[in-house]
Amino acid sequence: MTASSADPQLIARLDEVLGRIDAAAARAGRDGAEITLLLATKTRTPAQIAEMIELLRERGRRIAVGENRAQEIAKHEDPLLAGNGVPRHFIGRLQTNKARDVIAFAELVHSVDRDDIADALERRAELADVRREVLVQVNTSGEESKGGFAPTLEALAPIVERLRGSEHLRPVGLMTIGANTSDETAVRASLRSLRELRDGLREQLGSPELTELSMGMSGDLEIAVEEGATIVRVGSALFGPRD
């Protein structure tokens, strides 16, 4: 597949998203090309995912694929996707009984949102004799519908310290879902606080390896980039509405 044979609507959506990222990065004095565009692939087909990956490669962008649902992991072994060298992430809410599948699939797990998930991932990584990177999920908006640790250094330091001591899991940053509101001030506050918490943990724990900030989706990616996101998770703005 080349750009000339790609779906024109797909190309238009991609270029719009990249333009949004680059403009926000410029406002913050950053380089948009250094931000990883994670393709949120829930309900998308291997053909759709492969086409988007090729377009992003042609544009020289950092790419990862992110699956929300453990039951959809199998589609990534399709010949169109298997062995393509694109980093694979798990970005959804995780149940402990799916930890084995997620460890087998993902190089980076975004959603360590409670202690029993850390337990399950560590156990499964040890059994598989692999090392995996993880992000600690933080509920920066305080919304009850969202998972994650409380947005305080007191709540986060113990889980980060524990993960740093693991032989099979390596914490590399934090993740959040921005406030679900049209109030831009509230959204920005919920995303800015993740960066402040990350920086606080790095100073308090002496942990410079905490570099990643996974935040920002289709609706709030500009704010996330302005506030320091290193990974933005985009689905519908790239692929169009889900069936």
Side-chain angles (χ1 to χ4, degrees), residues 12 63 74 77-78 86 97 114 121 123 143 145 150 161 170 185-186 209 215 220:
I63 323 164
E77 300 309 322
D78 185 282
V86 176
N97 63 356
R114 55 196 193 278
L121 291 172
R123 183 168 59 252
E143 296 166 13
S145 60
E161 282 280 61
R170 178 174 178 262
T185 300
E209 71 276 13
M215 60 186 189
D220 59 5

Side-chain angles (χ1 to χ4, degrees), residues 33-242:
E34 295 180 354
I35 297 165
T36 297
L37 180 54
L38 187 150
L39 308 179
T41 58
K42 181 172 68 174
T43 75
R44 309 303 178 177
T45 67
Q48 289 175 309
I49 300 164
E51 187 174 27
M52 187 62 73
I53 287 171
E54 184 62 26
L55 289 170
L56 281 162
R57 279 180 163 156
E58 290 176 359
R59 286 155 174 76
R61 306 302 287 231
R62 293 187 178 183
I63 323 164
V65 296
E67 192 50 67
N68 299 67
R69 297 173 175 172
Q71 59 266 37
E72 290 195 47
I73 284 174
K75 74 186 178 193
H76 293 273
E77 300 309 322
D78 185 282
L80 287 170
L81 299 175
N84 63 8
V86 176
R88 303 196 302 190
H89 298 188
F90 188 80
I91 60 177
R93 191 80 183 267
L94 180 57
Q95 297 176 335
T96 56
N97 63 356
K98 298 296 184 182
R100 180 179 64 179
D101 297 335
V102 168
I103 285 293
F105 165 75
E107 299 164 46
L108 174 60
V109 180
H110 289 228
S111 43
V112 177
D113 62 353
R114 55 196 193 278
D115 289 320
D116 64 335
I117 289 299
D119 291 339
L121 291 172
E122 188 167 9
R123 183 168 59 252
R124 287 300 180 179
E126 181 179 7
L127 289 171
D129 193 25
V130 296
R131 286 182 60 84
R132 293 291 184 255
E133 294 184 338
V134 296
L135 302 176
V136 174
Q137 182 171 345
V138 187
N139 186 352
T140 58
S141 69
E143 296 166 13
E144 293 184 4
S145 60
K146 294 175 181 172
F149 288 87
T152 66
L153 292 178
E154 292 75 16
L156 293 171
I159 183 64
V160 172
E161 282 280 61
R162 175 195 159 172
L163 291 167
R164 292 180 77 199
S166 169
E167 294 184 7
H168 298 277
L169 302 178
R170 178 174 178 262
V172 294
L174 305 178
M175 183 274 262
T176 197
I177 300 171
N180 183 20
T181 175
S182 58
D183 182 350
E184 182 178 319
T185 300
V187 174
R188 188 175 295 277
S190 69
L191 300 176
R192 178 181 296 151
S193 67
L194 194 75
R195 171 172 50 84
E196 294 171 345
L197 288 164
R198 190 274 313 270
D199 293 348
L201 288 167
R202 292 179 68 174
E203 180 178 355
Q204 178 176 315
L205 303 179
S207 50
E209 71 276 13
L210 298 178
T211 58
E212 303 291 353
L213 292 174
S214 172
M215 60 186 189
M217 298 187 289
S218 293
D220 59 5
L221 64 85
E222 289 98 339
I223 299 173
V225 169
E226 290 170 359
E227 294 299 335
T230 62
I231 304 170
V232 292
R233 311 179 300 269
V234 185
S236 59
L238 289 171
F239 294 106
R242 293 190 178 92

